[in-house]
Amino acid sequence: MWGDSTTPRDVSGGVVTKRELLRCGWEQAQIRSAIRKRQLARIRPGWFATPTADPEVVSAVRAGAAVGCISALARHGIWIPFGDKRTHLRAAEHRHRVGTGDYCTAYRELPTPRAAVDPLLVAVACAARCVSGEEFVAICDSVLHRHPELELADLRDVLTGAPERVLRLLDQVDRRAESGTESLVRVRLRHRNIRLDIQVYIPDVGRVDMLVGRSLIIEADSREHHGADYQNDRTRDQIARAAGYDPIRVTWEDVTFRWPVIEARILAMIRRGDHRGRRLAGCSLASFSVGQVGRPRH
């Protein structure tokens, strides 16, 4: 039955509304039949769960809310901060909130939830009030990187009503960032007045996450990167060193749990002048565009 062409194919966590079913061409009799056959279960008026529905989503809907904020972002495949295990919920502004979970709001009134999991940009609007500034920049990086159809103006629009300090965070957003780890490293180093560029192409080495000055390469490994391309990464580092670069590889654990130590090491390398470059064997600096080679202020 759920393979029919008239069946909703993108059901949020296995929860579907009567409105969605009717829009897909279902008849009232079909809905009643699906309930009798236990192919649908009523959660509350107008909302149904499929047999494989996610309990977290079902609980949110039963409480009269939707999965929202960073919990929704995770379901949309967007990077979220590590370690937050709460279920973030969003309810209608006027509705009495019941059940457990953390209820989130945006800087402006949002429409009553019409889906079990909030749409992407609605979730972004709520996340602006729930995470730190650097985490919000990383979230926005991830949104724009994964959704090329969106622009910075779209993010600015959903933040209508937000204070200036939040709107200024959008000036730090860069859709080229390929992981939250990379985003956090970039933001933190720039806050230390270190100029760098990201996703720089180096002949024979390939694209690197960040380049400080002429020769300090910083590679940021995300959680998903663990175990992947291990040998390839080490080979790239060897080639980079042979060409006169100084590569340093930062893991998500470094960024999450050991950042003060890692930052101190990077700053020590810059003070020592490692970013200024030794003689680059086989690689000409002329191959870089002006925008690819930054000069740190240190």
Side-chain angles (χ1 to χ4, degrees):
M1 183 174 185
W2 288 97
D4 295 347
S5 59
T6 54
T7 299
R9 294 184 181 276
D10 185 18
V11 180
S12 296
V15 173
V16 64
T17 66
K18 182 178 180 179
R19 181 193 302 266
E20 290 173 306
L21 291 172
L22 295 176
R23 189 169 60 240
C24 288
W26 284 48
E27 302 288 343
Q28 295 279 6
Q30 286 180 280
I31 297 175
R32 290 194 295 269
S33 175
I35 294 171
R36 286 196 304 272
K37 296 176 181 178
R38 298 187 178 181
Q39 294 168 327
L40 288 177
R42 281 196 182 93
I43 304 173
R44 61 184 175 90
W47 295 79
F48 304 96
T50 65
T52 57
D54 188 322
E56 180 182 63
V57 180
V58 173
S59 294
V61 172
R62 185 172 289 122
V67 175
C69 195
I70 65 172
S71 298
L73 290 173
R75 291 173 178 276
H76 284 289
I78 303 302
W79 178 90
I80 63 169
F82 172 75
D84 192 334
K85 303 298 184 183
R86 300 170 296 169
T87 300
H88 291 244
L89 306 177
R90 185 178 71 86
E93 301 291 336
H94 63 278
R95 186 180 178 86
H96 175 64
R97 294 167 179 175
V98 297
T100 60
D102 288 80
Y103 285 86
C104 304
T105 59
Y107 286 104
R108 65 175 180 179
E109 186 171 341
L110 295 172
T112 298
R114 293 187 178 276
V117 176
D118 264 341
L120 175 61
L121 292 180
V122 172
V124 170
C126 291
R129 300 191 69 167
C130 267
V131 300
S132 69
E134 64 179 21
E135 290 169 343
F136 187 64
V137 172
I139 285 171
C140 292
D141 282 358
S142 180
V143 168
L144 294 185
H145 183 75
R146 292 178 178 272
H147 292 272
E149 75 280 6
L150 295 177
E151 300 293 341
L152 199 60
D154 297 307
L155 300 182
R156 198 172 298 278
D157 183 59
V158 300
L159 292 177
T160 298
E164 188 61 29
R165 62 177 175 78
V166 174
L167 297 176
R168 282 198 299 268
L169 293 173
L170 296 180
D171 296 334
Q172 302 178 51
V173 172
D174 194 322
R175 74 188 316 145
R176 295 175 296 167
E178 296 185 341
S179 72
T181 304
E182 178 187 328
S183 296
L184 293 177
V185 172
R186 182 190 82 239
V187 170
R188 291 175 182 179
L189 292 182
R190 284 181 173 166
H191 282 172
R192 297 301 299 263
N193 293 324
I194 297 172
R195 293 182 61 185
L196 54 87
D197 200 6
I198 72 171
Q199 299 303 317
V200 178
Y201 176 77
I202 298 176
D204 298 323
V205 177
R207 274 189 307 115
V208 299
D209 290 338
M210 285 160 275
L211 181 66
V212 180
R214 294 193 299 267
S215 57
L216 179 56
I217 295 172
I218 302 176
E219 297 275 38
D221 295 343
S222 65
R223 291 185 70 193
E224 293 76 15
H225 187 81
H226 276 216
D229 297 324
Y230 179 89
Q231 184 57 54
N232 182 57
D233 288 342
R234 272 65 196 169
T235 301
R236 276 165 45 95
D237 290 348
Q238 292 167 12
I239 294 172
R241 288 192 184 92
Y245 293 89
D246 279 297
I248 178 172
R249 196 165 289 277
V250 180
T251 67
W252 75 270
E253 292 99 334
D254 289 332
V255 175
T256 304
F257 305 114
R258 298 186 287 271
W259 180 248
V261 173
I262 301 304
E263 182 183 63
R265 289 175 185 167
I266 293 173
L267 294 177
M269 296 178 74
I270 292 173
R271 294 189 184 104
R272 193 168 59 233
D274 293 357
H275 62 292
R276 298 193 183 107
R278 303 186 297 276
R279 180 176 65 83
L280 300 183
C283 290
S284 170
L285 287 178
S287 63
F288 293 95
S289 68
V290 174
Q292 288 176 315
V293 182
R295 295 180 180 178
R297 298 172 189 169
H298 286 277

